[in-house]
Amino acid sequence: MAGESVITEELNSLLNVELGPEVYEIEKGMLKKFAEAIEDPNPRWLKEAPPTFPAALVPKALLNKLFNIDIPLKRLLNGTSDLEYLQPIKAGDVISITAKLTRLRQVAGAEGPTLFMFTEMTYTNQRGEVAVKGKNTYIKY
Amino acid sequence: MAGQVYYEDIEAGSEIPALVKYPTTMQLVKYAGASGDYYQIHYDKDFAIANGLPGVIVHGWLTLSFLGQMVTDWLGDQGALVKLSGSYRGMNKVHEDIICNGKVAKKYIEEGGNYARVEIWAENPQGEKTVTGAAVVTLPSRA
């Protein structure tokens, strides 16, 4: 057993509730700044988003809740990231992001309870096309 | 960069050219600004140590970005990335090489597209795999 549950009612109430959309206008400068930060010199990334750019389109409503929720586990790590590309994200696009918590799993870790929080994000462009589907797992311990 | 890679050029087991990166604390600060991830474990050494970490650690997403660069460099203009995933298994520290590797797991034709699944991983200088994942790509055909 993983000991006492750290999964509160507040956390449970977030399960499968879609939050958003949060809207980001994709400016050329954002792409350039991101490509410079990851030090990927490919000139393609001046016009088009590099693969991990969705990391910069943060679903704040969901993540603020997940990261600041009142549970005894304070430390946070990123566990996994998954991205599926359906349409390129380009400079000038307007991307709307919806996000939800899909699953919670508590396990007994070496340093006490560890909570895995599974999330899914959908990135939709201004034409209503899904550009990217994302999944991310966050770990609180 | 080498020339365009084609579907016919690869087989299961084909390695893709490795990429070595050397992130500094400054790069992590730049990445924090560009991504909006300001969690202090990535630039505040005192905070990181107080959280039980060996020091400032590299954002998992940044290491995955390096793996993404390795794959898109290899794909060239005519290949396309369909999926990219990574599991953050270990920590990469700053001022250390991150060695990015990839190997074709299988290639297959589906709905007329030429696909390959590539296992990707990042290693620290001790040879430990810190990020493991996969990329699904499409490649042009010579046919």
Side-chain angles (χ1 to χ4, degrees), chain A residues 79-81, chain B residues 63-64 67 85-90 101 118-123 128-135:
Chain A
T80 64
S81 304
Chain B
T63 305
L64 188 60
L67 289 166
S85 66
S87 294
Y88 310 113
R89 301 173 170 277
N101 299 283
V118 183
E119 288 171 13
I120 55 176
W121 68 96
E123 287 176 14
E128 295 157 347
K129 291 183 180 180
T130 55
V131 180
T132 60

Side-chain angles (χ1 to χ4, degrees), chain A residues 18-74:
Chain A
E18 194 173 78
L19 298 181
E22 279 157 89
V23 180
Y24 288 86
E25 289 180 33
I26 311 304
E27 295 156 6
K28 263 188 185 172
M30 286 167 76
L31 297 179
K32 186 164 182 267
K33 193 174 164 189
F34 193 87
E36 282 174 1
I38 63 172
E39 295 185 359
D40 184 340
N42 194 333
R44 187 172 154 190
W45 311 138
L46 296 174
K47 292 181 187 161
E48 190 187 325
T52 52
F53 181 75
L57 307 178
V58 182
K60 288 185 184 148
L62 178 64
L63 295 193
N64 284 342
K65 282 198 163 81
L66 293 185
F67 296 170
N68 299 317
I69 211 148
D70 188 22
I71 60 170
L73 312 178
K74 298 299 173 206

Side-chain angles (χ1 to χ4, degrees), chain A residues 49-54 82-89 130-133, chain B residues 61 64 81-85 136:
Chain A
T52 52
F53 181 75
D82 259 278
L83 293 163
E84 182 178 0
Y85 307 97
L86 304 166
Q87 296 289 334
I89 294 177
V130 174
V132 177
K133 288 184 191 173
Chain B
W61 272 116
L64 188 60
L81 185 60
V82 180
K83 287 183 187 174
L84 180 68
S85 66
V136 175

Side-chain angles (χ1 to χ4, degrees), chain B residues 27 36 71 74 76 81 87 95 101-102 112 134 141:
Chain B
Q27 183 173 21
V71 174
W74 173 66
L81 185 60
S87 294
H95 307 124
N101 299 283
S141 169

Side-chain angles (χ1 to χ4, degrees), chain B residues 7-39:
Chain B
Y7 186 72
E8 291 79 5
D9 301 339
I10 62 156
E11 294 299 338
S14 299
E15 288 181 12
I16 74 175
L19 177 71
V20 179
K21 295 287 227 179
Y22 186 83
T24 59
T25 310
M26 187 194 284
Q27 183 173 21
L28 269 51
V29 170
K30 282 163 71 181
Y31 183 78
S35 68
D37 181 349
Y38 289 103
Y39 194 30

